Amino acid sequence: MAPNPHIKKACNAMKILGIQQAKVRPVLRKLRKTYDDNWDFIEDDNYSVLIEAILAPDDVQAIESKKEEKKETEDVAMNREKKKAREQAQLAVKDQEDDIEEDEAPLKRRFRGKRERGCDNNTSLSSTSKTPNKEDPKPQEEDEDGETTELPPLKRYFRRTGERGSATTVHNKASPSFSSAMSVEPKERPPVILLPAAPVVAENDSYAGALIIVDDEPFTDHKPMIPENCSARALEMRKSNMYVKKRDGETDVTHTLNDSTSKTASGMVKAGGESGAPAISNELVVVPESEISAHGWRAFSNTKDITVGTENIEIPWVNEVNGEVPSRFRYISQSVAFRDAAVKSSVSSFSDDLCCFSCIGDCLVSSATPCSCTIAYRVDGVLTEDFLEARISEARDQRKHDFHFCRECPLEKAKNEETLEPCKGHIKRKAIKECWITCGCDKICGNRLVQKGIHNKLEVFCTPNGKGWGLRTLERLPQGAFVCEYIGEILTIPELYQRSMKGESICPVMLDALWGSDESLEDNQSLCLDGTRYGNISRFLNHRCLDANLIEIPVHVETPDQHYYHLAFFTTRVIEAMEELTWDYGVDFNDEDCLMKPFDCVCGSRFCRNIKRSKKAKKVMNRA
Ligand SMILES: C[S@@+](CC[C@H](N)C(=O)[O-])C[C@H]1O[C@@H](n2cnc3c(N)ncnc32)[C@H](O)[C@@H]1O
């Protein structure tokens, strides 16, 4: 029988608190009986019922009535028992902490790829993933016991007195044991922030669940994080997660977990409940505040919309696997040139033959003049079957690959080696040309699809099989549908190499569809996109060898200059709701020169290129 995912989730949550599975399971069994298998109750409020029941196992019945009581008086702060339970749990964590070798700053850990632990999988294509059994391409199954050697996330982020690294202070009057476990008193206290590992989603509010400690910084800097029009409901929902520390005139006023009102000097935010005792969050992460921008904050805390309002629709993120949050990046919905890239978008550079000057209305439906731009879209907003099939077969069938070869390949030149290696070739790709403002048609024209942006319901989620974060659709998508564009910084190839040389994480996609067709490609014309620092949801798309459900197609919109184009992802087949979206990065897992840091592919495709196969199997694959 398949393991019950709720049980696994509960055990994982308890493991984070240092409570072993053996203790959890029997109590869970009791609770399930008591609650008629209603997991909502058990999972509510970060398993508070379960924690209580574990620490007072004979009291399940009492807990139930307590729970009801709590429901009635929604804002009454957590009762003593619960607080005690949490303190004890924190203490347990603290005790285990002694074994941990602390050798790097907590923030680094948070942002660095930690594929082994699930989702802290820095988006960069250059991080290393969990090493799977290369002989077994199957995505790694969730394995309860398989994680026993790993450190629970909570432990990793807590520091203790006297430890190295950036010192942090967390005052916690409500929970002395917790406080003492975390207090470090350096000569100069740097500002710190507590991140809730699993932020709360607030309904009808764009801000949710962040927890702030502002120290020695004007509070106004953090204003965007706590909108003044924040709803009472949102405040309530966050009360268990938000604490504000503020320098109030000459006095350093610390509003702590135990304060009756956590109120800023300006009176802007009241984080405490009516009872005056905000609950302690059991999944706090201490990070130096100095390294988190206000924008970064929004990205972390807003589970409801990772795009921070920049897209047509909200795109939530969820983590049902562990307590990690997505790595820091700035969300942008349009690519931006980093520095040297020659990207020219001017109306004057469009000659009449580059646009459908004489079209009227919608180019896809008006038949008076055949539109010179349209080649790919159908009136129902998807790619024509012929166009899509041709692109898929070009991409997947190596025999149909048509290559351009550069005289001096930008990729080879950027290596700065003594001898210039010959170009390895760039696949010729047919591009879509969309109508633009220079065309005669209307804005509603069906040949303006990619430029209108994302319109499907998508979600960023933590994959359960070691790939880190991924992107999935929340609705059924037809074949040939536009999903999203690869957005990032537009870099020249020399700029990309500079980043790579510095050891920076990079997540590049080459815009090389026309390299080699142009005899004299200048340095500032050989371009790529890097979504690491600035990017959109496409930075969460994971790789799948060959039979991915998305394909990337070049799209020209506002730049007749062919060196820069948009790279848009379309569905290769019907995709059901909740399916992960993937594309074939085109990585050669044997290429040691590859700019992208290698990862061990767990795509699960039977065509996976990262598996050592017998010659016979390879032949079969090539024939497929
Ligand atoms: C563009 S990012 C994709 C998002 C990423 N999973 C994250 O958590 O931010 C690319 C990185 O994801 C991981 N990844 C993507 N596809 C993978 C696969 N098929 N198998 C293992 N890791 C994968 C690799 O670490 C890769 O460097």
Side-chain angles (χ1 to χ4, degrees), residues 115 119-130 327 463 465-470 486 507 538-545 585 596-604:
R115 307 242 145 69
C119 251
D120 197 2
N121 192 8
N122 197 322
T123 296
S124 158
L125 291 170
S126 62
S127 339
T128 331
S129 62
K130 179 172 180 167
S327 59
T463 63
N465 57 354
K467 288 184 294 188
W469 296 91
Y486 194 97
C507 188
S538 59
R539 75 201 295 284
F540 294 108
L541 285 170
N542 284 317
H543 161 85
R544 185 173 169 97
C545 296
Y585 294 175
M596 187 188 302
K597 262 198 197 154
F599 60 89
D600 286 304
C601 186
V602 290
C603 71

Side-chain angles (χ1 to χ4, degrees), residues 320-505:
E320 292 149 345
V321 176
N322 54 35
E324 305 293 345
V325 297
S327 59
R328 185 170 57 150
F329 74 105
R330 281 170 193 260
Y331 197 100
I332 50 171
S333 56
Q334 304 280 331
S335 291
V336 283
F338 165 62
R339 196 182 54 210
D340 297 342
V343 185
K344 216 167 73 192
S345 162
S346 62
V347 175
S348 65
S349 51
F350 275 88
S351 56
D352 285 0
D353 58 328
L354 287 172
C355 52
C356 57
F357 196 63
S358 50
C359 278
I360 300 169
D362 182 345
C363 292
L364 299 189
V365 291
S366 67
S367 53
T369 355
C371 174
S372 54
C373 300
T374 61
I375 51 162
Y377 301 142
R378 285 191 338 207
V379 282
D380 56 354
V382 297
L383 290 173
T384 64
E385 270 172 38
D386 289 351
F387 186 84
L388 178 64
E389 268 169 30
R391 301 294 79 73
I392 293 174
S393 103
E394 272 167 17
R396 291 185 183 171
D397 187 347
Q398 288 191 7
R399 288 162 302 189
K400 289 198 185 151
H401 278 174
D402 209 353
F403 289 95
H404 285 301
F405 289 91
C406 313
R407 205 161 41 88
E408 284 191 344
C409 181
L411 291 177
E412 301 301 332
K413 253 169 59 182
K415 286 181 193 162
N416 257 335
E417 281 167 358
E418 272 172 29
T419 46
L420 189 67
E421 293 287 322
C423 172
K424 295 194 174 103
H426 307 278
I427 302 172
K428 286 184 193 168
R429 292 165 182 273
K430 192 153 178 85
I432 294 169
K433 165 76 187 82
E434 290 202 351
C435 294
W436 195 49
I437 53 170
T438 45
C439 296
C441 54
D442 292 352
K443 210 179 166 187
I444 49 113
C445 170
N447 195 39
R448 301 174 187 227
L449 187 62
V450 170
Q451 61 192 270
K452 286 186 184 152
I454 300 165
H455 56 270
N456 294 116
K457 288 185 189 137
L458 306 171
E459 183 176 69
V460 172
F461 74 110
C462 184
T463 63
N465 57 354
K467 288 184 294 188
W469 296 91
L471 185 67
R472 66 186 170 200
T473 174
L474 298 179
E475 61 186 332
R476 191 171 198 262
L477 301 175
Q479 186 182 43
F482 165 65
V483 175
C484 61
E485 186 185 331
Y486 194 97
I487 295 288
E489 286 175 272
I490 309 166
L491 301 181
T492 64
I493 299 305
E495 284 168 346
L496 178 73
Y497 268 80
Q498 276 163 24
R499 283 191 183 180
S500 165
M501 299 298 189
K502 280 194 232 156
E504 284 183 35
S505 288

Side-chain angles (χ1 to χ4, degrees), residues 183-204:
S183 285
V184 180
E185 289 295 342
K187 276 180 195 144
E188 270 182 41
R189 281 181 292 123
V192 298
I193 287 188
L194 292 183
L195 287 181
V200 177
V201 187
E203 275 170 21
N204 307 321

Side-chain angles (χ1 to χ4, degrees), residues 288-322:
E289 192 276 339
S290 56
E291 299 195 37
I292 298 181
S293 65
H295 188 104
W297 257 112
R298 282 195 294 272
F300 283 139
S301 57
N302 197 343
T303 57
K304 201 175 155 197
D305 186 15
I306 201 164
T307 83
V308 286
T310 41
E311 299 286 7
N312 301 326
I313 55 163
E314 292 179 336
I315 301 177
W317 65 267
V318 291
N319 187 345
E320 292 149 345
V321 176
N322 54 35

